[in-house]
Amino acid sequence: TGDPQPDGGTGDPQPDGGTGDSQPDDEYDPDAVPVEGEPFVFGKYEQDGKTGNGREYISWRVLEVTGNKALLISEKGLDVRSYDDEQQEHYVTNWENSKIRTWLNETFYDAAFGPAEKAKIQETPLSDVDTTDKIFILSEFEAKAYFDGWCERIAYPTEFASGSGVYECKDEACGSGCNGASY
């Protein structure tokens, strides 16, 4: 499918004659430095559900900056994946053997980031499990530490995730106390 490009694209021509970039390159600064509490654009992943126009830049929230490391969380739910396969004979609920861990550190990592971006992603030893990962989900403790209350922990999906079968609560009761928005 083409060689990966520094911006995370594959370089494959798209129907519009471009290279899979649905946003101008001036929206992405490869030399940008993450600032705690601010959005940060890094990598590309399908988000608008229109695969013909290429992948869109991923907007992340910078949760913490310590030295030369930054902890980021995507601003939106980017895809739909189960933590593990409920059909397995031995249902796994630990992070180390979960399917989501494998998907995040292999499939998503390869799809969302080009060589220059991958060089910036550092492996992180996770404190509550015995693994070291490049991409991971927050633990319950971390989610509570970084987000004040339930409403702030709601993940609003991208159009792509919505079209991929993510469960969205559209009932007013779900948005109670969270501005009545579906999520």
Side-chain angles (χ1 to χ4, degrees):
T1 61
D3 296 327
Q5 302 299 307
D7 66 358
T10 62
D12 288 341
Q14 298 297 309
D16 64 1
T19 60
D21 300 341
S22 63
Q23 298 159 316
D25 284 335
D26 62 356
E27 290 187 33
Y28 175 70
D29 179 0
D31 299 319
V33 176
V35 176
E36 196 166 307
E38 296 293 319
F40 184 71
V41 176
F42 189 73
K44 288 184 174 183
Y45 197 74
E46 180 57 43
Q47 296 174 62
D48 67 3
K50 301 173 186 171
T51 57
N53 68 358
R55 298 169 298 148
E56 292 74 36
Y57 287 106
I58 303 170
S59 181
W60 303 86
R61 182 185 308 182
V62 183
L63 297 177
E64 184 176 336
V65 176
T66 307
N68 67 341
K69 290 183 91 169
L71 177 62
L72 311 175
I73 189 167
S74 62
E75 292 279 358
K76 299 257 185 172
L78 298 173
D79 210 329
V80 181
R81 300 289 162 180
S82 63
Y83 192 84
D84 218 341
D85 185 357
E86 294 180 43
Q87 303 303 315
Q88 289 181 342
E89 183 177 328
H90 302 287
Y91 184 63
V92 177
T93 57
N94 64 40
W95 174 252
E96 183 177 11
N97 297 312
S98 68
K99 286 193 175 214
I100 191 72
R101 177 178 180 237
T102 301
W103 182 82
L104 284 169
N105 285 279
E106 294 175 10
T107 307
F108 176 76
Y109 178 75
D110 287 337
F113 307 109
E117 292 162 330
K118 286 178 180 180
K120 294 178 182 181
I121 299 173
Q122 299 178 27
E123 289 191 335
T124 301
L126 304 182
S127 59
D128 55 342
V129 291
D130 190 25
T131 64
T132 300
D133 295 306
K134 294 180 179 191
I135 312 290
F136 53 92
I137 58 177
L138 296 178
S139 69
E140 179 182 4
F141 173 78
E142 290 167 324
K144 288 179 178 178
Y146 289 109
F147 297 96
D148 294 330
W150 185 78
C151 293
E152 287 190 27
R153 290 190 289 269
I154 294 173
Y156 296 93
T158 63
E159 290 296 319
F160 175 75
S162 291
S164 298
V166 70
Y167 172 76
E168 292 181 74
C169 182
K170 306 233 184 232
D171 187 288
E172 282 188 36
C174 294
S176 172
C178 300
N179 299 322
S182 66
Y183 59 91

